[in-house]
């Protein structure tokens, strides 16, 4: 968490970390707990391809079509990383992967419809509140997707 705060402060990003008693496991749980729209939840998924690993930050409203994503980023094979792979590559557990991540990043354009989005901090009992444009500023974004 200290590393996350340091990165955000160095880049002069406005943010808030919201602490909660238990881990939020789904976008719907997050929306209910935080009192926000489902689309404002921004889970970070980790994908595995022959080119390596990618992070994908999506709106909680969306279902991800990996074939569509594969075509956009130019991979032959693309699948969700296993929980073990997520841990090895990011240091985080599935469900708490940070919105700020060192992997090449794919961001869902739907998130930009909201003034604020909410996602992982790397710690299961906290949530990062951030302006969606800042996700682009701070991550290594390789693609913006329309996942409609």
């Amino acid at each position: 968490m200290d590393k996350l705060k340091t990165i955000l402060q160095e880049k002069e990003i406005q943010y808030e970390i919201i602490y909660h008693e238990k881990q939020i496991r789904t976008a719907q749980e997050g929306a209910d707990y935080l009192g926000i729209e489902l689309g404002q939840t921004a889970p970070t998924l980790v994908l595995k391809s022959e080119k390596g690993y990618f992070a994908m930050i999506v709106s909680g409203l969306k279902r991800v079509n990996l074939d569509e994503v594969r075509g956009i980023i130019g991979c032959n094979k693309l699948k969700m990383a296993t929980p073990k792979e997520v841990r090895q590559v990011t240091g985080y557990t599935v469900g708490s992967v940070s919105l700020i991540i060192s992997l090449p990043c794919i961001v869902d354009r739907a998130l930009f419809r909201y003034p604020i989005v909410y996602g992982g901090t790397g710690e299961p009992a906290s949530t990062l509140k951030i302006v969606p444009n800042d996700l682009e500023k701070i991550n290594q974004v390789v693609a913006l997707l329309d996942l409609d």
Side-chain angles (χ1 to χ4, degrees), residues 34-117:
L34 297 165
I36 59 173
E37 289 184 42
L38 186 59
Q40 285 180 274
T41 62
T44 303
L45 310 175
V46 179
L47 308 177
K48 182 181 181 181
S49 78
E50 76 278 5
K51 293 182 175 184
Y53 291 92
F54 291 85
M56 188 159 82
I57 302 171
V58 297
S59 167
L61 283 174
K62 301 297 177 89
R63 290 271 169 244
V64 177
N65 177 339
L66 288 181
D67 286 335
E68 192 178 306
V69 176
R70 183 178 51 77
I72 291 166
I73 60 174
C75 295
N76 294 319
K77 294 180 180 171
L78 188 66
K79 64 180 186 173
M80 298 292 289
T82 66
K84 183 178 179 182
E85 290 168 333
V86 170
R87 183 85 158 139
Q88 286 173 335
V89 173
T90 67
Y92 307 127
T93 57
V94 170
S96 62
V97 176
S98 179
L99 282 173
I100 311 307
I101 192 159
S102 60
L103 296 173
C105 205
I106 303 155
V107 178
D108 180 358
R109 286 187 203 272
L111 293 169
F112 297 97
R113 296 179 191 150
Y114 302 97
I116 302 286
V117 295

Side-chain angles (χ1 to χ4, degrees), residues 3-30:
K3 183 179 170 191
L4 173 66
K5 289 178 182 178
T6 300
I7 292 168
L8 290 164
Q9 288 163 358
E10 283 175 358
K11 299 275 188 177
E12 298 180 356
I13 302 291
Q14 297 239 331
Y15 71 95
E16 181 182 340
I17 293 178
I18 301 165
Y19 295 92
H20 30 88
E21 288 166 24
K22 65 181 182 93
Q23 181 174 0
I24 293 172
R25 298 190 184 279
T26 66
Q28 188 62 61
E29 274 183 30

